[in-house]
């Protein structure tokens, strides 16, 4: 989704801003822009489409050493050059970039800007016009900025330039993430540390309703009331090489291949010296203490949560409900007496999940976030965090984060079972090591999976995934993966549910991918595959060693039945990848999508 960068130093700002925006491309955007400031004023460049187009439009002779930049994912107003950020106030004095959504923008316009003509359709423009409005009333820029932010309802991360002061960037945030990076005689602003690793790895995190006055040699944090706040900086544990593609053609393929290493990394991180699970005592107690767990997530993380429910209920004997965050927000079920909320989120920034977190905190309930980004909003605001240690996931289509989430959920389930005195023979660390090896076997079979994608998905209009039990949850994920990157209409169904309507969609040659990796439903799902074949479907069955059958398209190595989703999803990820490639789609940056969905 939208991204922000800012730079104030001694070097060529335009180049640093453009490079920063390129690092944020993976988050999804439809237009981009930069504003560079020097003694002569502000130069503005913005374009619809890719950063490469913006780069071509930037004046090579632009020499400013400070500026701000933005990638926009349209919410208010269509993707266009006019609606792209930065936006300027009518007298051109102020220039702004903004992430988030201003909910009361029409009301603010009516109250304060009745005679101001707006240039764009965005909510953002209201912010910059308000700053000009309050500055015209005689306020200093800082005071006008603080006053404006105090009136905003909704979410914002924002950076502002003042034509009359080329040595300052003003930033502010509420609900949307924003960091200020520190270096010697140089300071930067970024909505994601990755964008500015090119300059520094030392960052200061901002809290909601704070503003920062960023100069070359000084950074001052204040509340909206103008009170100074002091905060220590931290070193971002990110290696710039983690976010490079290396020799891979796409991040998605690299991240699929990384899964065995991620699982081994998780084993190391969650193992103590006695080879048993190492988990924070407070987390253990919070889970034990709960009478019911509510898992809240979106998209792929929701699919991991569906598997997590099975794992926690089967292994730890504790009731779990898994909910789609955006639905839970408006349709909360009756809660148990002592609920624990588990938020699953790769980015830790998903607005729908955060909305639920804010609500349940108000109700006084405890929360745990399982995330790949420990400093993220959901991690900071929940009572506890479990890290998935998957390393930065850049491709919009989530792969390694999903398997990492399920691995951590399995560990949590077993730890809860042990702590609660539930007897079992399942050793998750040992079984996860077997999973990592099985994943490697599958990532070595790219050629045959590419062949499956070519044969089944090169030209089809639609595709169905069917499975039962945990295989069904993996089918939902397989279908999501395929539709988001190849734009084939794909749906995941419970095998037994087909006859209740969906089977009407099966025509001669319709691809149906079946999963049969759970022994107790092996025969019944094979029966469901026969039903679709009798109606003309083109079947592709993925089964598991030990109960495979002649004619199965792919046989995955045997792993413990609780952990099959971690392995069975790999062929689906690879098939989706190759299908998108064969159909000429932009695998890492699918249309209309954003990596981190920071608006509701
Ligand atoms: O960062 P999160 O895990 O909270 O994101 C949730 C979804 O937006 C995300 O999983 C999305 O469905 C993926 N891009 C799918 O591949």
């Amino acid at each position: 989704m939208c991204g922000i960068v800012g730079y104030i130093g001694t070097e060529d700002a335009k180049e640093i801003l453009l490079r920063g925006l390129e690092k944020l491309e993976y988050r999804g955007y439809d237009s981009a822009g930069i504003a560079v400031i020097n003694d002569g004023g502000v130069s503005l460049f913005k374009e619809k489409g890719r950063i490469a187009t913006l780069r071509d439009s930037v004046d090579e002779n632009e020499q400013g050493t400070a500026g701000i930049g933005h990638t926009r994912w349209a919410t208010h107003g269509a993707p266009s050059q006019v609606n792209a950020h930065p936006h300027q106030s009518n007298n051109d004095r102020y220039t702004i970039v903004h992430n988030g959504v201003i909910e009361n923008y029409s009301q603010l316009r009516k109250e304060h800007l009745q005679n101001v003509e707006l240039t764009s359709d965005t909510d953002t423009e209201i912010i910059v016009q308000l700053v000009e409005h309050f500055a015209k009333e005689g306020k200093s820029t800082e005071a006008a900025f603080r006053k404006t932010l105090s009136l905003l309802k909704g979410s914002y991360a924002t950076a502002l330039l003042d034509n009359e002061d080329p040595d300052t960037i003003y930033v502010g945030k509420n609900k949307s993430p924003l960091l200020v990076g520190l270096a010697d005689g140089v300071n930067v602003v970024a909505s994601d540390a990755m964008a500015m690793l090119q300059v520094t790895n030392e960052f200061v995190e901002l809290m909601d309703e704070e503003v920062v006055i960023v100069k070359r040699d000084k950074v001052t944090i204040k509340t909206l009331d103008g009170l100074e706040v002091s905060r220590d900086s931290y070193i971002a544990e990110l290696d710039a090489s983690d976010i490079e593609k290396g020799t891979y053609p796409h991040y998605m393929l690299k991240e699929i291949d990384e899964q065995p290493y991620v699982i081994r990394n998780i084993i190391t991180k969650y193992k103590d010296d006695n080879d048993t699970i190492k988990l924070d005592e407070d987390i253990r107690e919070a889970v034990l203490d709960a009478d019911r767990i509510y898992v809240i997530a979106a998209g792929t993380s929701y699919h991991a949560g569906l598997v997590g429910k099975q794992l926690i209920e089967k292994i730890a004997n504790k009731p779990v409900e898994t909910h789609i965050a955006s639905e839970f927000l408006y349709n909360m079920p009756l809660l148990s007496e002592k609920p624990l909320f588990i938020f699953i989120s790769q980015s830790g920034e998903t607005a729908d999940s955060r909305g639920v977190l804010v609500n349940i905190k108000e109700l006084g309930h405890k929360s745990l976030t399982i995330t790949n980004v420990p400093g993220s909003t959901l991690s900071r605001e929940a009572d506890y965090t479990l890290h998935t240690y998957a390393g930065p996931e850049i491709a919009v289509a989530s792969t390694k984060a999903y398997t990492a989430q399920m691995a951590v959920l399995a560990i949590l389930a077993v730890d809860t079972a042990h702590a609660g005195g539930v007897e079992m023979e399942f050793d998750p660390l040992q079984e996860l090591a077997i999973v990592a090896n099985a994943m490697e076997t599958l990532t070595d079979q790219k050629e045959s999976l590419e062949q499956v994608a070519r044969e089944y998905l090169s030209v089809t209009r639609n595709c169905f995934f069917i499975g039962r039990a945990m295989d069904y949850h993996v089918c939902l994920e397989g279908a999501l993966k395929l539709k988001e990157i190849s734009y084939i209409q794909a749906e995941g169904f419970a095998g037994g549910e087909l006859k209740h309507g969906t089977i009407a969609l099966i025509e001669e040659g319709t691809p149906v991918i079946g999963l049969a990796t759970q022994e107790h439903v092996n025969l019944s799902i094979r029966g469901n595959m026969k039903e679709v074949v009798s109606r003309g479907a083109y079947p592709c069955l993925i089964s598991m060693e030990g109960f495979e059958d002649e004619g199965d398209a792919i046989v995955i190595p045997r792993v413990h039945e609780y952990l099959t989703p971690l392995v069975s999803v790999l062929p689906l990820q690879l098939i989706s990848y190759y299908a998108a490639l064969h159909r000429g789609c932009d695998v890492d940056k699918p249309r209309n999508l954003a990596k981190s969905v920071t608006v509701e």
Side-chain angles (χ1 to χ4, degrees):
M1 221 147 236
C2 306
I4 287 179
V5 291
Y7 172 83
I8 181 157
T10 51
E11 290 178 39
D12 179 7
K14 66 174 181 308
E15 187 49 37
I16 293 169
L17 295 172
L18 287 168
R19 282 205 302 259
L21 293 181
E22 280 159 1
K23 294 288 179 220
L24 296 181
E25 276 197 291
Y26 78 97
R27 297 167 69 97
Y29 68 103
D30 37 52
S31 58
I34 60 169
V36 177
I37 191 164
N38 55 37
D39 292 335
V42 166
S43 310
L44 187 64
F45 308 93
K46 49 189 199 173
E47 291 294 331
K48 183 180 169 194
R50 294 291 183 212
I51 311 268
T53 316
L54 172 66
R55 193 177 259 291
D56 289 343
S57 77
V58 172
D59 180 358
E60 279 181 13
N61 301 318
E62 176 51 62
Q63 291 303 320
T65 55
I68 53 180
H70 191 262
T71 46
R72 173 173 189 255
W73 190 84
T75 55
H76 293 62
S80 67
Q81 193 191 33
V82 165
N83 290 333
H85 300 210
H87 289 282
Q88 288 190 306
S89 62
N90 280 356
N91 63 5
D92 283 353
R93 176 170 173 191
Y94 294 108
T95 306
I96 205 166
V97 291
H98 160 234
N99 289 353
V101 173
I102 305 305
E103 288 159 8
N104 59 339
Y105 76 102
S106 15
Q107 187 193 336
L108 289 171
R109 183 175 186 195
K110 269 190 219 129
E111 277 173 29
H112 303 278
L113 303 172
Q114 285 222 345
N115 302 320
V116 174
E117 200 165 322
L118 300 181
T119 322
S120 73
D121 306 320
T122 65
D123 50 342
T124 300
E125 194 185 338
I126 296 292
I127 311 177
V128 76
Q129 302 290 11
L130 280 173
V131 176
E132 177 184 297
H133 171 77
F134 293 123
K136 278 183 175 163
E137 283 184 356
K139 287 191 169 26
S140 67
T141 297
E142 184 199 318
F145 186 52
R146 283 195 279 108
K147 166 82 183 168
T148 300
L149 298 189
S150 70
L151 297 177
L152 305 182
K153 290 212 167 71
S155 55
Y156 58 82
T158 184
L160 175 88
L161 296 178
D162 174 0
N163 233 338
E164 296 179 7
D165 176 11
D167 298 320
T168 310
I169 304 176
Y170 298 88
V171 306
K173 90 146 228 142
N174 187 44
K175 297 186 189 166
S176 297
L178 198 62
L179 303 167
V180 172
L182 313 176
D184 200 12
V186 178
N187 289 309
V188 296
V189 178
S191 52
D192 182 330
M194 282 199 241
M196 281 298 162
L197 283 179
Q198 54 171 326
V199 178
T200 183
N201 63 354
E202 184 180 356
F203 289 91
V204 179
E205 201 182 303
L206 306 189
M207 298 299 149
D208 285 351
E209 302 193 337
E210 285 181 346
V211 295
V212 193
I213 297 103
V214 186
K215 295 185 176 282
R216 285 183 177 76
D217 52 1
K218 195 169 178 212
V219 159
T220 313
I221 309 177
K222 291 188 181 176
T223 63
L224 291 184
D225 298 328
L227 299 174
E228 274 201 36
V229 177
S230 66
R231 177 146 327 117
D232 290 340
S233 59
Y234 69 94
I235 302 297
E237 286 175 28
L238 276 172
D239 184 337
S241 66
D242 286 349
I243 53 172
E244 300 302 336
K245 270 201 303 249
T247 53
Y248 279 91
H250 297 99
Y251 281 109
M252 184 180 176
L253 193 61
K254 173 174 178 262
E255 289 159 7
I256 290 173
D257 269 359
E258 281 171 355
Q259 290 176 103
Y261 311 105
V262 170
I263 298 301
R264 290 183 189 122
N265 195 26
I266 290 173
I267 297 172
T268 317
K269 298 287 185 189
Y270 283 99
K271 186 164 76 171
D272 66 13
D273 295 341
N274 304 320
D275 284 352
T276 53
I277 297 174
K278 179 174 67 181
L279 212 65
D280 191 302
E281 195 56 45
D282 291 343
I283 297 181
R284 186 169 288 156
E285 270 172 32
V287 182
L288 265 190
D289 197 41
D291 61 355
R292 182 170 285 260
I293 292 173
Y294 295 82
V295 175
I296 310 291
T300 289
S301 297
Y302 167 70
H303 296 155
L306 292 173
V307 173
K309 169 186 161 70
Q310 301 293 322
L311 293 172
I312 298 172
E313 290 194 338
K314 284 188 166 65
I315 299 174
N317 208 13
K318 185 159 288 270
V320 182
E321 292 177 21
T322 300
H323 292 269
I324 293 174
S326 56
E327 279 300 301
F328 194 92
L329 208 51
Y330 297 105
N331 194 12
M332 198 188 281
L334 274 181
L335 298 180
S336 64
E337 297 246 310
K338 283 165 88 182
L340 170 72
F341 282 80
I342 299 185
F343 293 86
I344 307 179
S345 175
Q346 187 284 130
S347 62
E349 300 295 348
T350 298
D352 293 323
S353 300
R354 197 208 178 213
V356 179
L357 176 57
V358 170
N359 283 5
I360 62 100
K361 274 175 76 164
E362 272 166 24
L363 294 172
H365 299 312
K366 287 250 182 274
S367 50
L368 158 69
T369 291
I370 298 180
T371 183
N372 204 25
V373 187
S376 58
T377 307
L378 284 169
S379 160
R380 271 198 333 266
E381 295 184 356
D383 296 298
Y384 318 104
T385 295
L386 285 175
H387 189 181
T388 48
Y389 296 107
E393 190 181 68
I394 309 291
V396 166
S398 184
T399 53
K400 62 177 181 171
Y402 169 73
T403 42
Q405 288 163 348
M406 293 189 293
V408 170
L409 283 161
I411 290 171
L412 180 68
V414 173
D415 188 74
T416 308
H418 285 158
V422 179
E423 296 269 319
M424 75 172 77
E425 284 177 7
F426 174 64
D427 176 347
L429 302 179
Q430 219 170 62
E431 298 298 341
L432 282 171
I434 297 171
V435 162
N437 294 343
M439 285 174 157
E440 232 152 37
T441 310
L442 288 163
T443 53
D444 284 348
Q445 289 178 26
K446 291 196 184 67
E447 268 174 38
S448 52
L449 291 161
E450 174 167 16
Q451 187 46 40
V452 170
R454 192 180 296 281
E455 192 180 326
Y456 286 79
L457 302 170
S458 285
V459 290
T460 188
R461 185 170 57 89
N462 56 6
C463 174
F464 296 94
F465 292 78
I466 65 169
R468 285 172 177 257
M470 285 209 272
D471 282 341
Y472 164 48
H473 302 319
V474 181
C475 284
L476 294 178
E477 174 58 12
L480 175 63
K481 219 73 315 163
L482 186 63
K483 55 192 154 191
E484 71 175 324
I485 58 169
S486 75
Y487 318 140
I488 296 171
Q489 176 161 23
E491 300 304 334
F493 284 100
E497 194 62 11
L498 276 181
K499 293 187 278 296
H500 302 285
T502 312
I503 204 162
L505 297 172
I506 304 294
E507 294 171 351
E508 198 58 40
T510 304
V512 176
I513 298 180
L515 278 190
T517 77
Q518 302 269 293
E519 195 161 11
H520 66 296
V521 289
N522 176 41
L523 294 179
S524 58
I525 195 68
R526 285 178 187 278
N528 297 139
M529 285 299 273
K530 289 214 167 70
E531 288 161 5
V532 288
V533 169
S534 319
R535 282 143 186 100
Y538 190 33
C540 170
L541 195 81
I542 301 176
S543 64
M544 176 153 288
E545 229 170 57
F547 44 94
E548 73 271 34
D549 217 341
E550 215 177 302
D552 293 351
I554 300 152
V555 180
I556 64 179
R558 187 79 186 238
V559 298
H560 193 286
E561 62 168 339
Y562 290 158
L563 301 180
T564 59
L566 281 89
V567 182
S568 58
V569 76
L570 259 85
L572 305 189
Q573 294 169 343
L574 281 163
I575 289 171
S576 299
Y577 171 77
Y578 287 115
L581 213 58
H582 294 155
R583 296 167 77 108
C585 302
D586 188 345
V587 174
D588 282 338
K589 290 178 226 122
R591 71 182 179 209
N592 302 339
L593 291 177
K595 180 68 183 163
S596 173
V597 185
T598 49
V599 294
E600 225 189 76

